[in-house]
Amino acid sequence: VVWCNKGQVLADLGRMKEAIAAYDQALALNLRDVMAWSGKGLCLIKLGHQKDALSCFDQALVLDPRYEGAWNNKGVALAALGRLEEAIDCYDHGLVLNPQNPLAWNNKANNLRALGRPEAAITCYDKAVALDPQYAHAWFNKAQCEDGVGRTWNAARSYERFLAVASPQNVPQIEYARLRLRDLNSQ
């Protein structure tokens, strides 16, 4: 537990290589530590090592196939490798375990949108923002998806919701949303 906690703190500080070393220490003590496998996988994703991350998530899921976080994170790694349908399958596995996970709904929607299935994506974005009305990224993604299929009124409302809940670190999206909202409202 101590090594996993240290790994999490180091990862939160952006020190991924040190975090991986801490997770490796945890695994040296207990190869069945699902949290260590998953934490290491997340760090590997952030370093761009998707295939190695997949191995970690697969190991976590062998140990605990009901660990929804590993399903979601495996989906993220697969999506980064362009394996979008497989990623959606992973999100679906996680959502069976916990249909109340707005992050998984948003991630699934992003993949559906990338596959050219905007209507299904919008349905998933709707679920994400219904579960967490403060989820800025989901509002922004939903607005862009609606905008892309010509639902200008809905897109404008979603951009407004995004702007209402966005935090200062969302500066590029905030600027884009303001410009796009101005354009949509002038149509």
Side-chain angles (χ1 to χ4, degrees):
V1 175
V2 173
W3 285 109
C4 272
N5 289 342
K6 183 175 182 177
Q8 180 64 53
V9 169
L10 289 165
D12 289 345
L13 293 171
R15 295 161 54 184
M16 297 306 149
K17 289 181 180 177
E18 292 172 74
I20 289 171
Y23 288 125
D24 283 340
Q25 286 292 326
L27 292 167
L29 295 171
N30 179 7
L31 276 174
R32 299 187 57 78
D33 189 332
V34 175
M35 299 302 290
W37 283 113
S38 193
K40 181 178 178 179
L42 282 172
C43 292
L44 289 165
I45 285 176
K46 290 179 182 170
L47 292 173
H49 303 292
Q50 313 317 335
K51 289 181 181 177
D52 292 332
L54 279 176
S55 296
C56 290
F57 298 130
D58 284 340
Q59 185 59 43
L61 290 167
V62 164
L63 296 169
D64 184 0
R66 298 191 51 77
Y67 183 37
E68 69 162 300
W71 283 112
N72 190 58
N73 295 331
K74 181 177 179 180
V76 171
L78 286 165
L81 291 169
R83 295 163 57 184
L84 303 181
E85 290 288 355
E86 291 175 80
I88 290 169
D89 287 342
C90 288
Y91 302 133
D92 284 340
H93 278 298
L95 287 166
V96 166
L97 298 169
N98 178 10
Q100 305 300 310
N101 184 340
L103 177 62
W105 285 112
N106 181 68
N107 288 344
K108 179 179 177 179
N110 290 339
N111 285 265
L112 289 165
R113 183 173 163 213
L115 287 167
R117 294 161 45 195
E119 297 303 325
I122 290 168
T123 298
C124 291
Y125 289 130
D126 284 339
K127 290 179 182 179
V129 297
L131 290 166
D132 183 359
Q134 303 299 309
Y135 192 178
H137 290 294
W139 281 112
F140 184 79
N141 294 337
K142 180 178 187 268
Q144 287 194 306
C145 192
E146 291 167 331
D147 204 359
V149 294
R151 292 184 183 180
T152 55
W153 189 87
N154 290 352
R157 301 302 69 82
S158 294
Y159 281 126
E160 287 171 353
R161 289 291 300 141
F162 164 73
L163 290 169
V165 299
S167 63
Q169 71 243 30
N170 301 118
V171 171
Q173 293 92 353
I174 290 170
E175 291 173 10
Y176 178 87
R178 285 182 179 148
L179 289 171
R180 193 65 193 123
L181 187 57
R182 187 186 69 219
D183 292 343
L184 291 172
N185 286 331
S186 69
Q187 291 180 3

